Amino acid sequence: MTKLKKGQLALYWLGQAGFVLKSPGGTVIFIDAYLSHSVERKFGPQWKRIMPPPMEAGEVDCDWFVSTHEHDDHLDVDSIPEISRNSRVHFAGPRECTTFYRTAGIAGDRCLELTEGQQIRMGDFTCSVVFADHGDQAPDAVGLVFELDGLHIYHTGDTALRPDKMKSVIAMQPQVILPCINGAFGNLDSESAAELVKLTGSKLVIPTHFWTFVEHLGNPWEFQKKCQTIAPESNIRWMTQGEGIMLSANDF
């Protein structure tokens, strides 16, 4: 990974909803990284990946491995046992995720349960746990806002648009938003994702949660057009799997 100057951070997209953050001090956080084929293994060939994983579980070396909820493309049940062999790694997620960590034999002092309203220090980053609505499919799902030196990055997790319950994250006005756009299984679609971009005032938009599985849908071009109409001051950045960028609060 690239060396960073003070005030910078590196952000990498892993495909689906997966990202990596790195600070100049060396803190590395994986968020919703799906690196296996567990969804196909558990639910059948219609859930075969159409985009290959950008790395193997054994290559993960991080301080925190975080999941926004328990669905397999966010809580990678086939990769976590391998990743947990590295004693450096701590795990965080809502209650259903921490239940899995225990069944995987991960020590309790390496696991953190996430609930809405928390503010947690993860190395050099501050992580705020915010509202997400993934319906009955994952009632304890959360969104996350990571802050470093004045730069706020909002990972929506899987959620529908609920402005009345998203007041805390809207008030933060995060400069960067990583929204799901697939519009399936209760998630934001192109229009509602663009509405959330407008509400948060985010200047940089990196869309997620599309084109990993056929059934997950997602229309990048439609989302871009909606943002041009609804949130014209935002800048959309399309990333390829494994691509990274450097960001700082001064960029905005």
Side-chain angles (χ1 to χ4, degrees):
M1 291 185 178
T2 306
K3 289 187 178 180
L4 301 166
K5 299 177 182 178
K6 181 176 174 55
Q8 288 184 320
L9 64 80
L11 180 149
Y12 300 83
W13 187 45
L14 300 175
Q16 193 61 345
F19 286 87
V20 180
L21 298 177
K22 182 185 178 184
S23 75
T27 300
V28 178
I29 301 175
F30 277 62
I31 311 155
D32 279 356
Y34 176 56
L35 306 174
S36 72
H37 300 269
S38 65
V39 180
E40 180 185 6
R41 176 181 63 78
K42 292 177 70 173
F43 300 106
Q46 69 271 28
W47 290 100
K48 180 179 181 178
R49 300 185 68 129
I50 56 176
M51 294 290 182
M55 63 189 301
E56 301 292 331
E59 298 176 280
V60 174
D61 185 20
C62 63
D63 298 280
W64 287 90
F65 195 88
V66 184
S67 297
T68 59
H69 62 286
E70 71 268 25
H71 289 166
D72 289 76
D73 55 323
H74 300 259
L75 177 72
D76 189 346
V77 297
D78 283 1
S79 293
I80 286 173
E82 172 71 19
I83 293 166
S84 69
R85 294 179 186 176
N86 182 344
S87 61
R88 172 189 173 194
V89 183
H90 290 72
F91 298 84
R95 180 167 298 176
E96 291 295 325
C97 298
T98 56
T99 298
F100 171 76
Y101 303 149
R102 288 194 295 271
T103 65
I106 302 171
D109 61 359
R110 296 175 62 193
C111 303
L112 177 66
E113 184 174 318
L114 301 179
T115 57
E116 182 187 347
Q118 284 177 308
Q119 191 172 80
I120 304 145
R121 194 71 184 175
M122 294 184 175
D124 297 326
F125 292 90
T126 299
C127 175
S128 298
V129 185
V130 298
F131 175 84
D133 178 6
H134 203 23
D136 294 338
Q137 302 178 72
D140 62 358
V142 297
L144 303 169
V145 179
F146 293 89
E147 186 273 332
L148 178 72
D149 290 334
L151 178 62
H152 293 77
I153 298 176
Y154 172 29
H155 189 299
T156 67
D158 279 5
T159 188
L161 181 62
R162 300 285 184 263
D164 57 325
K165 295 185 177 181
M166 291 175 160
K167 292 178 180 178
S168 66
V169 71
I170 291 169
M172 292 180 192
Q173 293 289 284
Q175 299 99 318
V176 182
I177 186 171
L178 316 174
C180 56
I181 67 166
N182 61 308
F185 303 95
N187 282 350
L188 299 164
D189 60 13
S190 295
E191 184 165 357
S192 58
E195 291 283 359
L196 184 57
V197 171
K198 178 182 179 180
L199 289 169
T200 59
S202 300
K203 301 304 181 186
L204 178 62
V205 185
I206 301 174
T208 75
H209 216 301
F210 61 94
W211 290 5
T212 299
F213 309 105
V214 172
E215 287 197 32
H216 266 183
L217 308 177
N219 188 326
W221 178 234
E222 181 182 349
F223 174 68
Q224 182 159 314
K225 289 190 294 182
K226 291 293 184 182
C227 278
Q228 288 169 349
T229 301
I230 297 170
E233 295 184 0
S234 64
N235 175 38
I236 301 176
R237 174 78 180 248
W238 299 103
M239 297 179 70
T240 56
Q241 291 189 138
E243 181 181 356
I245 57 175
M246 291 187 292
L247 299 170
S248 74
N250 292 332
D251 296 334
F252 306 95

